[in-house]
Amino acid sequence: MSGLVMPSGWFVGCGNMGGAMVAGWVKAGVDLSALTAISPSGRDIPGVAVSTDLPDGEPEWVWLGHKPYQVEEVAAKVAPRIGAHTVILSILAGVECASLRRLFPEARAIVRLMPNLPVSDGEGVTGLYSDDADPALRDEISAIVGKLGFAPWGEHEADLTAISTVAGSGPAYVARFIAAMARQAEALGLPAEIAQRLALETVAGTGVMARASGEAMGPLATRVASPGGSTEAGLKVLDGDAGMDDLVARTVEAARRRTEEMAAAARD
Ligand SMILES: NC(=O)c1ccc[n+]([C@@H]2O[C@H](COP(=O)([O-])OP(=O)(O)OC[C@H]3O[C@@H](n4cnc5c(N)ncnc54)[C@H](OP(=O)(O)O)[C@@H]3O)[C@@H](O)[C@H]2O)c1
């Protein structure tokens, strides 16, 4: 055990992402004995008690981990059960603090979190934002969420959109990059299994090396690419017109636009 104890409460909708957070806390030794996951199907969620309905008693913390479009329906059931001491912690993409405050008027504080899937291994990124959490509560949340990886507080709520569209969605983009690298390794003659592993280890190893050294990406790339060599020839393609920067800009912009649409729908 890490000595950290999760405050009593509920994780309402603990699927892909909620389950990843629970897995990360279990691996970090956080005591989850006071947390109940609310799952309509009642399916097993390793590391945490599961209930198909809201348990008795007033929760200290309520995590919202269902789909964003379900927020009105869930709030209709949860809001009458919370008191002035209850903190709402929402991972719902695009549902803003003002919308949550309207749905949970009694709550002590509203906190938004934008996690990504590597939280399951304590290697995640979780953006945090609140306009009404006091410093003591922020410290408490940082301690718990910090067990899942890097967990910066945004200064403005819009920072969460940036964190969500880059880090929240990021593992999907990186997965596509790894798959594309693997396909090319296979096209050059390697067996599929080795091609896949080689692409994955290249991305993971580069991340580990860059994190350990703190080196900026420009010099890191230069260290691999000798002038006039093969890597430099490849980089010219990535750095060219409609290359990596353009592709990533269009990808992130599409995700940002969709986040804005979802936020607008939740405001209605
Ligand atoms: N996936 C990501 O990378 C990511 C990143 C950042 C934020 N998020 C946010 O995380 C949230 C969940 O996404 P997800 O990918 O984890 O979805 P998911 O796997 O479909 O999980 C949603 C969970 O909600 C539960 N649920 C369904 N109806 C419910 C209800 N009426 N009341 C309470 N719980 C209900 C489901 O329970 P059963 O299993 O029992 O049916 C399911 O486990 C979304 O709001 C999303 O915006 C996701």
Side-chain angles (χ1 to χ4, degrees):
M1 284 278 167
S2 67
L4 257 187
V5 180
M6 175 71 77
S8 71
W10 312 328
F11 208 123
V12 186
C14 193
N16 208 7
M17 180 48 78
M21 294 172 80
V22 166
W25 286 319
V26 169
K27 282 182 192 154
V30 177
D31 180 346
L32 300 179
S33 54
L35 183 68
T36 301
I38 315 300
S39 159
S41 69
R43 69 190 169 75
D44 187 43
I45 302 167
V48 73
V50 175
S51 170
T52 53
D53 214 342
L54 303 180
D56 291 339
E58 189 179 304
E60 289 177 86
W61 288 11
V62 173
W63 302 82
L64 301 179
H66 45 79
K67 294 290 190 192
Y69 73 85
Q70 296 173 310
V71 68
E72 303 264 350
E73 171 200 339
V74 169
K77 280 183 78 176
V78 172
R81 296 287 315 281
I82 70 164
H85 298 294
T86 306
V87 179
I88 299 291
L89 300 113
S90 162
I91 67 168
L92 315 182
V95 182
E96 293 165 344
C97 285
S99 303
L100 293 165
R101 177 51 78 188
R102 174 174 60 77
L103 294 166
F104 299 97
E106 303 292 332
R108 169 184 165 196
I110 304 281
V111 181
R112 287 186 60 197
L113 303 93
M114 261 310 123
N116 67 4
L117 278 179
V119 292
S120 59
D121 291 286
E123 297 282 351
V125 174
T126 307
L128 299 161
Y129 179 79
S130 176
D131 20 58
D132 48 20
D134 60 40
L137 178 60
R138 281 170 177 256
D139 287 349
E140 214 183 334
I141 292 168
S142 288
I144 294 275
V145 180
K147 288 288 174 194
L148 305 177
F150 181 48
W153 285 90
E155 206 178 315
H156 310 285
E157 191 161 8
D159 295 344
L160 275 196
T161 304
I163 293 169
S164 160
T165 50
V166 174
S169 307
Y173 306 152
V174 174
R176 282 283 201 273
F177 181 72
I178 292 170
M181 293 267 277
R183 272 193 295 277
Q184 293 315 309
E186 214 180 323
L188 290 173
L190 290 178
E193 205 175 306
I194 293 190
Q196 172 67 34
R197 182 78 195 271
L198 169 149
L200 171 63
E201 295 299 336
T202 301
V203 170
T206 305
V208 168
M209 177 180 78
R211 181 163 61 185
S213 68
E215 189 176 16
M217 295 305 125
L220 191 154
T222 306
R223 274 206 295 133
V224 185
S226 24
S230 57
T231 307
E232 193 183 72
L235 283 178
K236 276 186 183 149
V237 177
L238 278 185
D239 296 343
D241 290 345
M244 188 68 125
D245 262 342
D246 179 67
L247 185 62
V248 172
R250 285 187 290 123
T251 303
V252 168
E253 173 53 17
R256 187 202 63 76
R257 219 177 306 123
R258 182 66 191 127
T259 303
E260 294 297 325
E261 285 168 8
M262 290 193 296
R267 265 180 231 129
D268 293 341

